Amino acid sequence: MDHFLYRDGILHAEDVALADIAATVGTPFYCYSAATLTRHYQLFTEALSPLPHLVCFAIKSLSNVAVLKLLGDLGAGMDVVSGGEYRRARAAGVPGDRIVFSGVGKTREEMRLALNGGIRQFNVESEPELRALSDVAVSLGVTAPIALRVNPDVDARTHEKIATGKSENKFGVPIAKARAVYAEAARLPGIDVVGIDVHIGSQLTELAPFEAAFTKVRELTEALRADGHNIRRLDLGGGLGIPYTRSNEAPPLPTEYGAMIRRVLGDLGCEIEIEPGRLISGNSGVLVSQVVYVKNGEGRDFLILDAAMNDLVRPSMYGAHHDIIPVVEPAAASPVQAFDVVGPVCETGDTFAKARALPHLAEGDLVAFRSAGAYGAVMASEYNTRPLVPEVLVKGDHFAVIRARPTFDEILSRDTIPEWL
Ligand SMILES: *Cc1c(COP(=O)(O)O)cnc(C)c1O
């Protein structure tokens, strides 16, 4: 469920007409709904509420500091994968003891940043990382709380670029090796083993792979406790998928996911952490764009938009589908036409959809890409020297620009010409 609905024939974000935002901000822009973000966060906390738990929003899916503040003020923790994301979480007012640090390539500098600023736990992904963290913690005279990210070797049955839980992926330590690595962690100075971490992939549309992974985590918890480790926290990662099309078979709901977690792990006496990104942010955002031209080609018609692959890369990167709907509601039973929906970037890959059935659209009309809140703005670039797409947050009848579109002067001023040239 989200809060992007037609009202009086115009698509609204909550109580604000997207056409009004377009008139103020210009296009393209991302627009997020505070009510939708809040609702999705709460679905998870409610689903886990009988257990001690922390829902850590995966910042990489949508990292604007205003959005992080909204979720942080509700009590959310944050999952960060870089020093930059750590800084965003802190800038949003999230205390260090609600921040978990994931990622395969944490540098010593990033470790120092988090140890000095406060951290709930590092999700350690390899033995070299574990040793580096021990060194850094000892040099600072502190102790680093850790969970080891184990790779359970389960098939998440999702897109190959976002599957992370198979043994051939770069993530985590093979679960068969975990006991040996935990033994080393217990011996290393400056390391406090607090739990186990697992994250098997993104956009999972069924519970079975999660359940297979969590069952292995349960067995590992018991084995590690028998080895003398005080396993008190289980971080189950993110990855729950969202419906990108209305017709799609519906992915499991957070309530079903939470019930499964309680059934498989609820009696272990562990605090549960989860790291959802997409399910909180995905359907909380749209990308609004304007039609630049309608071009009639041979055997196909192109809808050329002012948004491009640099603003929303998911269709060209993952072959992802986004519903595209007109901002002005089409009359019931108005005829549809097949369009190839493309952007202006000089790449054939700059194609959002092929032969998409859309109602009549003309130059100047506005369209909205649905489900664009996750892995949208965060993956945007300035390719073709197109200004970084701005972001807008709506709450009730308020809206605010939460990241402004840079001016061309700002963009050009970042380049410097060496004096010897
Ligand atoms: C990407 C990622 C997430 C979030 O995944 P979603 O599919 O957006 O829920 C959580 N944890 C880790 C370690 C990740 O890499």
Side-chain angles (χ1 to χ4, degrees), residues 145-232:
I146 69 125
L148 192 67
R149 176 166 175 182
V150 295
N151 186 326
D153 195 23
V154 300
D155 185 354
R157 300 209 277 187
T158 182
H159 191 285
E160 60 171 296
K161 285 191 183 155
I162 49 176
T164 58
K166 283 289 284 172
S167 52
E168 69 254 32
N169 300 129
K170 71 180 176 185
F171 300 98
V173 169
I175 197 159
K177 252 181 91 178
R179 284 172 80 176
V181 182
Y182 272 95
E184 176 172 5
R187 281 193 303 271
L188 282 171
I191 296 289
D192 177 27
V193 171
V194 300
I196 305 173
D197 170 49
V198 68
H199 170 75
I200 58 172
S202 198
Q203 186 51 18
L204 272 69
T205 52
E206 39 188 13
L207 285 182
F210 286 118
E211 183 159 352
F214 299 167
T215 303
K216 291 188 176 189
V217 167
R218 180 190 176 86
E219 290 160 12
L220 182 62
T221 304
E222 287 164 344
L224 291 175
R225 283 179 170 170
D227 291 346
H229 302 284
N230 180 9
I231 302 298
R232 48 201 187 273

Side-chain angles (χ1 to χ4, degrees), residues 216-342:
K216 291 188 176 189
V217 167
R218 180 190 176 86
E219 290 160 12
L220 182 62
T221 304
E222 287 164 344
L224 291 175
R225 283 179 170 170
D227 291 346
H229 302 284
N230 180 9
I231 302 298
R232 48 201 187 273
R233 201 181 275 168
L234 301 178
D235 183 334
L236 305 176
L240 198 56
I242 61 169
Y244 277 98
T245 55
R246 308 285 179 78
S247 49
N248 225 9
E249 171 196 344
L253 299 171
T255 30
E256 298 164 308
Y257 173 76
M260 183 272 287
I261 290 173
R262 293 192 333 250
R263 178 163 50 75
V264 178
L265 302 168
D267 63 340
L268 289 172
C270 284
E271 183 179 13
I272 301 295
E273 285 167 359
I274 55 171
E275 303 168 346
R278 191 188 309 268
L279 203 137
I280 291 178
S281 53
N283 284 326
S284 301
V286 294
L287 171 65
V288 177
S289 176
Q290 190 171 38
V291 178
V292 184
Y293 296 116
V294 178
K295 174 173 165 181
N296 304 116
E298 289 209 359
R300 63 184 67 211
D301 294 328
F302 293 97
L303 199 62
I304 303 176
L305 302 181
D306 66 0
M309 63 187 290
N310 69 295
D311 304 306
L312 176 66
V313 78
R314 298 188 67 259
S316 55
M317 185 153 152
Y318 308 117
H321 172 101
H322 285 269
D323 278 351
I324 302 169
I325 59 173
V327 167
V328 175
E329 187 173 18
S334 61
V336 295
Q337 179 184 351
F339 284 109
D340 281 10
V341 184
V342 302

